[in-house]
Amino acid sequence: QQQVKQSPQSLIVQKGGISIINCAYENTAFDYFPWYQQFPGKGPALLIAIRPDVSEKKEGRFTISFNKSAKQFSLHIMDSQPGDSATYFCAAYGRDSNYQLIWGAGTKLIIKP
Amino acid sequence: DTEVTQTPKHLVMGMTNKKSLKCEQHMGHRAMYWYKQKAKKPPELMFVYSYEKLSINESVPSRFSPECPNSSLLNLHLHALQPEDSALYLCASSQVTYQDTQYFGPGTRLTVL
């Protein structure tokens, strides 16, 4: 119940295209859903986050879509750029996960010029 | 400023050595974390300090010993490590509770020979 399932494992998108990464969860007590971006040799950096009372959040080219009934959320990167090439992790928090971020397995995104 | 700093960036040590990793933040955060990250995997939580007190120890072997000298500093003392402990060690901090965003440092790349 504490799992977050992330797909795909890897993704190749042409420059200018839309990159879409999906996550699904089971625990309905989760109430905070961040996405982290990690470049090789660096720590994860918070990209965007959403709470379940909102169905969509947009920051620049990055959008989170949230479907509470389906227990799914996704990251959309519009006009993908080579600089977006990184590993993306979805995660979830809840009352009963204490301090723990429950992480997805990660998606390695490559944007081809 | 949302910066978490970690030193050293790289560390190579033998199995009989004693070394320490250091982490610092000046955001006034009262929760600090140590994570271990293996290649192509999400970070794994090791320890959580809340108000300078150890609140979570995720069954980490005693060869890893955390210390929180004050609210801005976090150390991880290493002794008698094994080659399988080679990984990226990440420090993070957040304001207080699990609902607060965790900010990660760049990590220390540890190699145990």
Side-chain angles (χ1 to χ4, degrees):
Chain A
Q1 258 222 331
Q2 290 286 64
Q3 280 187 326
V4 176
K5 293 183 180 178
Q6 183 172 348
S7 62
Q9 191 175 356
S10 61
L11 181 61
I12 300 174
V13 175
Q14 289 294 128
K15 179 183 173 184
I18 302 173
S19 304
I20 302 174
I21 304 170
N22 300 301
C23 288
Y25 64 98
E26 288 296 322
N27 189 339
T28 55
F30 288 154
D31 58 9
Y32 178 67
F33 301 87
W35 284 88
Y36 281 87
Q37 178 189 56
Q38 186 175 23
F39 294 105
K42 303 291 185 185
L46 180 70
L47 191 61
I48 187 172
I50 199 167
R51 297 194 189 276
D53 53 348
V54 175
S55 61
E56 186 175 283
K57 184 174 180 180
K58 187 175 180 180
E59 289 185 5
R61 296 183 295 109
F62 299 91
T63 300
I64 299 179
S65 298
F66 189 85
N67 186 330
K68 188 173 180 179
S69 59
K71 291 185 281 187
Q72 294 175 347
F73 58 111
S74 59
L75 176 70
H76 296 235
I77 305 174
M78 312 301 286
D79 186 27
S80 299
Q81 299 296 312
D84 297 330
S85 298
T87 298
Y88 292 81
F89 292 100
C90 63
Y93 268 153
R95 281 187 306 276
D96 55 354
S97 74
N98 207 354
Y99 285 92
Q100 292 210 43
L101 274 167
I102 308 301
W103 296 82
T107 296
K108 184 172 182 178
L109 174 64
I110 297 171
I111 307 300
K112 285 200 162 183
Chain B
D1 183 12
T2 56
E3 190 177 24
V4 176
T5 58
Q6 290 187 243
T7 55
K9 287 186 179 178
H10 302 275
L11 179 62
V12 179
M13 59 187 290
M15 290 190 283
T16 57
N17 291 157
K18 284 185 181 181
K19 297 285 185 184
S20 296
L21 310 184
K22 295 187 185 302
C23 172
E24 192 165 2
Q25 57 87 15
H26 294 288
M27 296 178 276
H29 289 174
R30 303 311 298 269
M32 295 186 77
Y33 312 74
W34 280 115
Y35 286 86
K36 172 183 177 181
Q37 187 178 28
K38 293 285 227 180
K40 300 183 181 180
K41 297 288 186 185
E44 294 174 47
L45 185 66
M46 299 175 73
F47 302 104
V48 180
Y49 273 83
S50 178
Y51 290 90
E52 296 111 72
K53 287 187 167 43
L54 182 65
S55 61
I56 293 179
N57 175 342
E58 288 294 317
S59 303
V60 179
S62 60
R63 57 186 184 268
F64 295 91
S65 174
E67 178 196 18
C68 189
N70 60 55
S71 61
S72 300
L73 291 173
L74 188 65
N75 297 322
L76 186 63
H77 303 296
L78 314 172
H79 174 53
L81 295 192
Q82 303 297 310
E84 59 265 29
D85 296 321
S86 298
L88 182 68
Y89 287 84
L90 295 161
C91 174
S93 71
S94 65
Q95 279 201 321
V96 179
T97 70
Y98 74 89
Q99 286 190 323
D100 299 320
T101 299
Q102 289 188 24
Y103 295 92
F104 284 81
T108 294
R109 174 68 62 189
L110 174 67
T111 302
V112 181
L113 300 176

